Amino acid sequence: MSDYTIQKEASRIFHDVLLQDARLGLPKEVIEAASRTIVDEETPIAKPFLPAPTKASETSTALWALLATYGNVLAQQRFGITQTVTVNSDLATIFIFAFMLTKFGDKSIGDPDIVPRYQKYDLAKQYLPWRRLCTNVYPTKDGRWFHTHASLDANKTLQMLGLPTSDDEKDELKIIGRYCDKLREYDAAWLDLEANEHWRQAGCIALTKEEYLASEHGKVVAHDPIYLVEAFQDERLPPVPWPQVDNSTTFRPLEGIKILDLTRAIAGPTIARLAALFGATVVRISHEQLSELGAILVESNLGKVDVNLDLKSDAGRQTLLRLLEDADVLLDGFRPGALDRLGFGPKYVHELARRRGRGLVYARENCYGWGGPLSHRSGWQMISDAVVGLSWEMGKFVGLDEPIVPPLPNADFQTGIIGCLGIMNALDRRAREGGNYLVSMSLNQYNSFLLSVGSQPADIQAGLQEKWKDMNFRHYDNMNRILRKLIPAFPEKVPELFSPAYFEKISADWGTPGEELTILKPVVKYEKTELKYDYGSTEKGKHPAEWPSQQL
């Protein structure tokens, strides 16, 4: 067995890849502060343990190291403190599936008594087997594989395929067989065009990584850094000092920053949640008629207040305009172009900021990236994994000639780290130089980065294949099926992950007074800065449309 460890490789990626990437626009202070960032080599688990050939643990640890380092620089600038920060690679790995480990009191998030409390937000009933399995990898008539996706409502995809929108069948393998039979009636190229250009629904051909990197779109995204920051300078937009925070006891780098969170699903909400962890005030805009990934929402609403607004109504748009008057950041996680059509795209929001005389950071996240011929398409992590070639890499890893959904929502959560990092960068530049900023990140940008750092060494892969051989992953195991196999197996195969020292309690506003959640502790630990959420998790629409300081 080689001397390869998660911690050594994460340190290499942090120091030799991320810190050396001039495209990220890292100031010299961040480069210098990296010497005070420690990847903890005393972490219990040294060898990779996730059932995949990619370096998910290593990239998560490295990205957390960079985020922590930038936060350290900002804390020093704002509060005059010098400190070290330690990154725990176990926590960095748990981070990408911690939502599944959340507890309400002593009950797991999957407990039958708990599920209805968040499942009510699945308005399209995607939890039903027939609709849930609409999202999956299926074979096509021409010998290819196509990843269908239901998004938050399977109706369009089912109508596209000529299938009923509901069915009472409960046997998943029978349902999978029916989907396979139906998809084999179509060739992959037609499905790709039909889904994306006619129905405007997510879906893609499962490409090999070689096919993706050779494609026009792959070539564009491969040249992008993990985030893009564009500056729009204007003499009417001078530098914006960091908010004055009197008597801070936590010294968090984003204290006083106000963020409007217009996101759903995973990656976008995670960006805003991490900003809240680092001290930002986050107001999330939701609406009662929009579906949510309920189990994810419990974790992703940590540290936020949640406001019910209909942005298609005049009243809703006027309220958002009022909130924008004081906002430092607007985070857009809508389908590409959707917020523009509602009247709140980057050009308009930046003009509002110019007229008020104080620059604003407009941050946006999507699946495919922001350049190239596929940038207009909607997508999800499993779509990104399939289109960049990771699904085929997973299939090869388990010894099968078929693409398989990589386990865990890795790209979603790591794009969350990247988005928070990009926002820090833009806010730092706003404080130094003034101006408006556009921050762009995507699942494909992260996945391209993941591919670029290479696969696990051969001996490590062999050990992982032996460790997880009983999982029997197949092409028809969508993320739901994979998590149902994987999460129950973790305590036996990787018991170190479940140390009580890795978890903490926080308040919950989910209908039961005095209730507490058990959640993952922060991945990084500073000597003086204390990362924490100012608010526990909340249900949707529980708060008035005001910045929290105005509610006191």
Side-chain angles (χ1 to χ4, degrees):
M1 183 70 71
S2 68
D3 63 354
Y4 181 98
T5 68
I6 294 170
Q7 295 80 16
K8 288 179 181 178
E9 180 63 2
S11 293
R12 184 194 71 80
I13 295 170
F14 172 47
H15 288 283
D16 298 347
V17 179
L18 293 171
L19 290 174
Q20 304 306 316
D21 191 344
R23 300 171 300 174
L24 298 181
L26 301 173
K28 62 181 177 59
E29 292 87 349
V30 171
I31 309 300
E32 294 166 356
S35 63
R36 300 196 300 275
T37 300
I38 302 163
V39 176
D40 186 5
E41 295 197 4
E42 300 301 316
T43 301
I45 305 176
K47 298 297 183 183
F49 55 88
L50 295 178
T54 51
K55 297 178 179 178
S57 296
E58 295 88 334
T59 58
S60 183
T61 304
L63 288 168
W64 269 104
L66 184 54
L67 179 63
T69 303
Y70 215 133
N72 207 0
V73 169
L74 299 184
Q76 183 175 27
Q77 291 174 356
R78 299 189 66 186
F79 305 112
I81 57 175
T82 301
Q83 60 187 336
T84 60
V85 59
T86 302
V87 187
N88 183 305
S89 58
D90 285 0
L91 291 173
T93 305
I94 302 170
F95 170 76
I96 63 180
F97 61 92
F99 75 98
M100 292 291 292
L101 307 181
T102 303
K103 289 184 177 180
F104 285 78
D106 61 354
K107 294 183 177 181
S108 74
I109 198 163
D111 188 285
D113 291 337
I114 300 299
V115 170
R117 294 167 64 178
Y118 57 78
Q119 200 172 70
K120 64 185 179 183
Y121 295 127
D122 181 359
L123 304 182
K125 298 184 177 180
Q126 291 300 117
Y127 56 83
L128 297 174
W130 174 254
R131 296 175 66 79
R132 184 172 67 235
L133 287 164
C134 182
T135 298
N136 223 338
V137 179
Y138 293 116
T140 61
K141 181 171 66 175
D142 53 341
R144 300 298 303 254
W145 300 83
F146 191 81
H147 199 313
T148 54
H149 205 290
S151 298
L152 289 170
D153 186 344
N155 284 358
K156 281 188 176 182
T157 299
L158 290 167
Q159 290 165 4
M160 176 188 81
L161 295 172
L163 290 170
T165 56
S166 63
D167 194 292
D168 293 333
E169 180 62 65
K170 300 293 191 296
D171 187 314
E172 290 193 347
L173 292 181
K174 288 183 179 179
I175 294 171
I176 287 165
R178 289 172 62 185
Y179 274 109
C180 286
D181 290 343
K182 175 55 69 170
L183 268 290
R184 286 194 182 100
E185 295 178 10
Y186 305 95
D187 65 83
W190 173 249
L191 285 169
D192 193 58
L193 189 68
E194 181 82 354
N196 290 284
E197 307 304 332
H198 181 68
W199 290 90
R200 300 290 180 180
Q201 190 77 334
C204 71
I205 301 170
L207 302 177
T208 66
K209 67 178 181 180
E210 292 79 14
E211 287 177 315
Y212 175 69
L213 292 172
S215 71
E216 183 181 352
H217 191 81
K219 290 175 182 176
V220 171
V221 177
H223 286 92
D224 283 340
I226 54 174
Y227 63 77
L228 297 159
V229 177
E230 299 173 66
F232 300 89
Q233 301 296 346
D234 190 292
E235 61 183 13
R236 294 174 60 177
L237 295 173
V240 178
W242 289 96
Q244 182 65 38
V245 179
D246 297 323
N247 303 316
S248 174
T249 59
T250 60
F251 309 118
R252 290 171 295 166
L254 296 182
E255 287 183 26
I257 292 296
K258 295 180 177 179
I259 297 179
L260 281 172
D261 173 14
L262 280 74
T263 68
R264 288 186 292 163
I266 304 179
T270 300
I271 295 169
R273 172 169 65 90
L274 294 184
L277 182 68
F278 278 81
T281 299
V282 179
V283 172
R284 179 177 187 256
I285 306 301
S286 65
H287 190 253
E288 60 198 359
Q289 295 180 7
L290 293 176
S291 282
E292 304 275 359
L293 299 177
I296 299 288
L297 186 66
V298 176
E299 182 188 62
S300 68
N301 255 10
L302 286 165
K304 307 175 185 180
V305 297
D306 194 301
V307 174
N308 182 54
L309 279 188
D310 179 5
L311 296 183
K312 293 183 178 180
S313 72
D314 289 341
R317 287 192 292 270
Q318 287 301 313
T319 300
L320 184 60
L321 282 170
R322 178 168 52 79
L323 289 168
L324 271 168
E325 291 174 4
D326 293 321
D328 298 289
V329 179
L330 184 147
L331 177 57
D332 173 6
F334 280 58
R335 286 172 176 243
L339 209 50
D340 295 80
R341 291 190 290 274
L342 289 171
F344 292 94
K347 288 184 179 180
Y348 180 71
V349 171
H350 278 162
E351 179 58 22
L352 291 177
R354 193 178 76 86
R355 289 171 181 265
R356 76 180 183 184
R358 185 164 61 92
L360 180 140
V361 175
Y362 191 110
R364 58 185 186 174
E365 175 272 328
N366 75 0
C367 175
Y368 282 90
W370 298 95
L374 307 183
S375 60
H376 66 287
R377 292 185 171 189
S378 66
W380 298 70
Q381 168 174 316
M382 289 172 284
I383 295 298
S384 177
D385 290 347
V387 83
V388 305
L390 287 170
S391 297
W392 269 110
E393 292 300 298
M394 185 64 193
K396 294 175 186 176
F397 173 73
V398 301
L400 296 176
D401 187 25
E402 62 187 41
I404 294 174
V405 173
L408 305 177
N410 178 51
D412 271 319
F413 283 102
Q414 298 210 42
T415 299
I417 308 169
I418 290 167
C420 187
L421 178 61
I423 287 171
M424 273 191 188
N425 183 296
L427 288 170
D428 184 28
R429 290 183 61 182
R430 186 185 71 154
R432 297 169 187 255
E433 306 164 14
N436 279 320
Y437 291 86
L438 178 64
V439 181
S440 304
M441 70 290 302
S442 69
L443 302 174
N444 274 13
Q445 283 166 262
Y446 165 74
N447 272 335
S448 294
F449 165 65
L450 180 65
L451 287 172
S452 75
V453 299
S455 299
Q456 298 286 359
D459 62 326
I460 297 290
Q461 289 198 41
L464 292 171
Q465 289 161 344
E466 177 64 24
K467 185 184 189 76
W468 296 97
K469 62 184 179 182
D470 56 336
M471 289 294 100
N472 299 315
F473 294 130
R474 291 297 309 274
H475 71 87
Y476 48 75
D477 286 328
N478 63 10
M479 189 63 72
N480 178 274
R481 284 174 58 86
I482 284 175
L483 290 174
R484 280 156 41 203
K485 290 182 178 184
L486 194 56
I487 299 301
F490 269 131
E492 176 186 349
K493 294 182 182 291
V494 201
E496 301 93 332
L497 292 180
F498 297 88
S499 167
Y502 285 170
F503 299 89
E504 63 185 10
K505 295 186 183 299
I506 194 169
S507 63
D509 189 4
W510 279 79
T512 301
E515 188 172 46
E516 288 187 321
L517 294 178
T518 299
I519 62 170
L520 186 70
K521 281 186 174 179
V523 172
V524 302
K525 185 175 179 60
Y526 292 93
E527 286 184 301
K528 299 173 184 176
T529 292
E530 179 191 0
L531 297 184
K532 62 187 288 287
Y533 298 109
D534 289 330
Y535 305 91
S537 180
T538 178
E539 293 181 291
K540 288 178 60 173
K542 296 276 289 212
H543 302 91
E546 300 172 346
W547 291 103
S549 60
Q550 297 171 267
Q551 299 172 25
L552 301 178

